[in-house]
Amino acid sequence: MHVLMGATTVARVLIGLGRAEASGTLDVCADGRPCPVRFDLGRVVGGGVAGHEWSDPDDVIEALLRRAAVGDVTLRFVEHPYEAFRLLDEPIHGSVLGMRLVRSALGALDVDSVRRELGRDVYRLTSSGEALVNSFSLHPDERAVVFWLRRGVEAEDVMGLPGCGVAGYRFLYALKLVGAASPRGGDYPLMLRKRRQVRASASPRALLDLPEEATAGDARRALRRLVRNLHPDRFGDEEATGLRRASSEVVTALVAAESTLSSSPRK
């Protein structure tokens, strides 16, 4: 896992330098050994390590993964090129290289580990993620994931969606690692479930997910737990107005349910 974390750190910087159209040299250093990556207007154009000059992006990725495997990767960018190394046969944009690096680092990660990291949150494409996925060619399964991310999708559903599969599930995690996809601020599935209960006139105990023997203290704790995930402010200004209105409806009903249970004598 530490290989993935190190590779993610490097990938985020590669993507940032690509987006900034930077020129200069990124030193990726691990265990005292530097690995210079030469940039020109946001593209990686060359670099290498002692005794091995790179000719294509695969060489760059292999070298960066070896640095990530060592651990404790440090990064330093200087605005001048290393002239000593040959140029790549085909320069590659920093954003594209960053995503390819994360894809490679994720290759050996099992699905259960990906599931633990993604959880059951509903994910969407961020604004920076939108720019990122428009900057390079996507595989068919990746295009399918992006389609659903633009609408908001629960992580656990991704593998079963048309065109996504396991590869798409891994891609969602790759996007999360580089900040291109993120969970919604509030708990969207929970909010939908509670809204259905409110409109079905569910009992106060059902609304608060409490058993019959629950006390007033249990009701207060349940209210705090639910509101922490369902308050309209958790859904942010970028969310649809209708979603925030639904959240307000649910929270109002939860507060009323807690008040009812706290003021009712135990039977």
Side-chain angles (χ1 to χ4, degrees):
M1 197 72 172
H2 72 276
V3 175
L4 178 59
M5 295 302 101
T8 298
T9 299
V10 177
R12 286 173 175 167
V13 174
L14 291 172
I15 292 168
L17 292 173
R19 188 176 297 137
E21 299 186 344
S23 296
T25 300
L26 175 67
D27 259 334
V28 182
C29 191
D31 199 24
R33 294 177 295 173
C35 179
V37 182
R38 180 175 171 180
F39 274 82
D40 181 34
L41 296 176
R43 300 179 307 156
V44 174
V45 297
V49 293
H52 185 195
E53 294 182 346
W54 302 328
S55 61
D56 60 53
D58 288 339
D59 291 339
V60 186
I61 291 170
E62 182 182 346
L64 294 176
L65 286 174
R66 285 199 298 269
R67 290 296 182 272
V70 173
D72 296 325
V73 174
T74 60
L75 304 172
R76 183 174 68 98
F77 184 75
V78 293
E79 294 183 348
H80 62 75
Y82 277 25
E83 301 291 352
F85 296 111
R86 63 172 286 181
L87 298 181
L88 297 180
D89 295 336
E90 294 184 11
I92 181 171
H93 197 272
S95 296
V96 179
L97 183 64
M99 283 307 302
R100 285 186 57 181
L101 178 62
V102 174
R103 281 178 180 143
S104 298
L106 270 173
L109 195 65
D110 62 275
V111 172
D112 286 339
S113 296
V114 175
R115 182 179 290 111
R116 283 194 296 271
E117 296 298 326
L118 288 174
R120 300 186 61 178
D121 289 320
V122 174
Y123 285 82
R124 64 178 178 181
L125 205 63
T126 64
S127 56
S128 60
E130 189 70 56
L132 178 63
V133 299
N134 287 327
S135 69
F136 62 95
S137 298
L138 298 171
H139 300 153
D141 45 28
E142 295 172 346
R143 285 198 299 272
V145 170
V146 168
F147 172 86
W148 291 106
L149 281 172
R150 285 173 174 149
R151 289 152 178 77
V153 61
E154 187 170 352
E156 286 202 339
D157 292 341
V158 169
M159 280 192 289
L161 292 172
C164 296
V166 174
Y169 195 49
R170 292 180 187 277
F171 183 61
L172 170 58
Y173 186 33
L175 292 176
K176 177 183 180 179
L177 287 170
V178 299
S182 66
R184 293 177 184 269
D187 190 329
Y188 184 63
L190 176 63
M191 191 275 290
L192 291 181
R193 179 166 66 87
K194 289 300 167 187
R195 185 176 64 173
R196 287 195 295 270
Q197 289 180 324
V198 169
R199 295 185 176 181
S201 301
S203 70
R205 293 184 188 279
L207 280 176
L208 293 170
D209 294 330
L210 291 173
E212 285 299 320
E213 66 273 14
T215 66
D218 293 331
R220 286 191 293 273
R221 285 187 289 273
L223 176 65
R224 286 196 296 269
R225 174 178 54 80
L226 290 167
V227 170
R228 187 161 52 242
N229 292 311
L230 298 176
H231 193 280
D233 289 347
R234 291 296 306 274
F235 292 92
D237 294 335
E238 294 181 2
E239 299 290 351
T241 301
L243 185 56
R244 290 174 60 84
R245 186 163 53 244
S247 174
S248 296
E249 176 188 356
V250 168
V251 169
T252 299
L254 291 172
V255 171
E258 188 275 335
S259 178
T260 298
L261 291 177
S262 294
S263 60
S264 299
R266 291 290 305 279
K267 295 182 179 181

